[in-house]
């Protein structure tokens, strides 16, 4: 039995898994809604919510921390200029996972990960 091991491996080693999550969250910030598998969405959700919390604080230090975790400056700009102020009064729970069906090829559960309005 594997005890006290948090998180899902998603069939990848650590570096590709980290890149996958960074790119998933970048797409979520850019488009504000993505379709992905349930396991990937459940892993990306806490990462995205911590970045929104950084954006709510909005200091230069928090912007640099977000830049170290996201691939492009344009995404960090949108995060701090649009999403941070939008969730200024909300105390967490910035994303929603909605089940939308199963993938045709392997019947993997597909969900929609989006920011709440």
């Amino acid at each position: 039995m594997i005890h006290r091991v948090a998180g899902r491996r998603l069939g990848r080693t650590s570096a590709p898994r980290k890149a996958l999550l960074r790119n998933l969250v970048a797409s979520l910030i850019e488009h504000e809604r993505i379709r992905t598998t349930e396991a990937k969405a459940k892993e990306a959700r806490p990462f995205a919510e911590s970045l929104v919390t950084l954006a709510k604080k909005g200091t230069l230090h928090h912007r640099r921390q977000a830049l170290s975790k996201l691939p492009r400056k344009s995404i960090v700009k949108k995060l701090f200029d649009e999403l941070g102020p939008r969730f200024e009064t909300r105390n967490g729970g910035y994303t929603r996972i909605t089940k939308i069906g199963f993938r045709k090829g392997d019947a993997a559960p597909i969900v929609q990960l989006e920011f709440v309005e």
Side-chain angles (χ1 to χ4, degrees), residues 30-74:
E30 186 177 3
H31 302 292
E32 299 189 12
R33 170 180 298 157
I34 56 172
R35 290 178 50 171
T36 185
T37 63
E38 188 174 12
K40 289 177 187 173
K42 285 183 176 181
E43 281 297 304
R45 181 184 215 173
F47 186 44
E49 295 201 358
S50 68
L51 288 172
V52 173
T53 303
L54 287 178
K56 282 173 55 176
K57 297 173 185 172
T59 64
L60 178 62
H61 177 65
H62 294 114
R63 188 177 291 262
R64 286 178 175 162
Q65 283 183 320
L67 273 168
S68 72
K69 295 178 183 178
L70 290 172
R72 293 188 301 277
K73 287 183 182 178
S74 60

Side-chain angles (χ1 to χ4, degrees), residues 24-33 47-58 63 66 70 74-95 113-117:
L24 269 175
V25 172
S27 294
L28 175 64
I29 292 168
E30 186 177 3
H31 302 292
E32 299 189 12
R33 170 180 298 157
F47 186 44
E49 295 201 358
S50 68
L51 288 172
V52 173
T53 303
L54 287 178
K56 282 173 55 176
K57 297 173 185 172
R63 188 177 291 262
L70 290 172
S74 60
I75 293 169
V76 174
K77 182 171 173 45
K78 180 175 181 179
L79 177 67
F80 277 77
D81 294 346
E82 294 177 25
L83 296 177
R86 185 192 309 175
F87 296 116
E88 193 72 40
T89 58
R90 192 175 180 96
N91 295 326
Y94 313 114
T95 57
L113 178 61
E114 62 187 342
F115 287 112
V116 295
E117 302 286 52

Side-chain angles (χ1 to χ4, degrees), residues 87-107:
F87 296 116
E88 193 72 40
T89 58
R90 192 175 180 96
N91 295 326
Y94 313 114
T95 57
R96 170 190 306 139
I97 294 177
T98 309
K99 296 182 181 184
I100 57 175
F102 297 93
R103 191 160 53 197
K104 197 170 188 178
D106 60 355

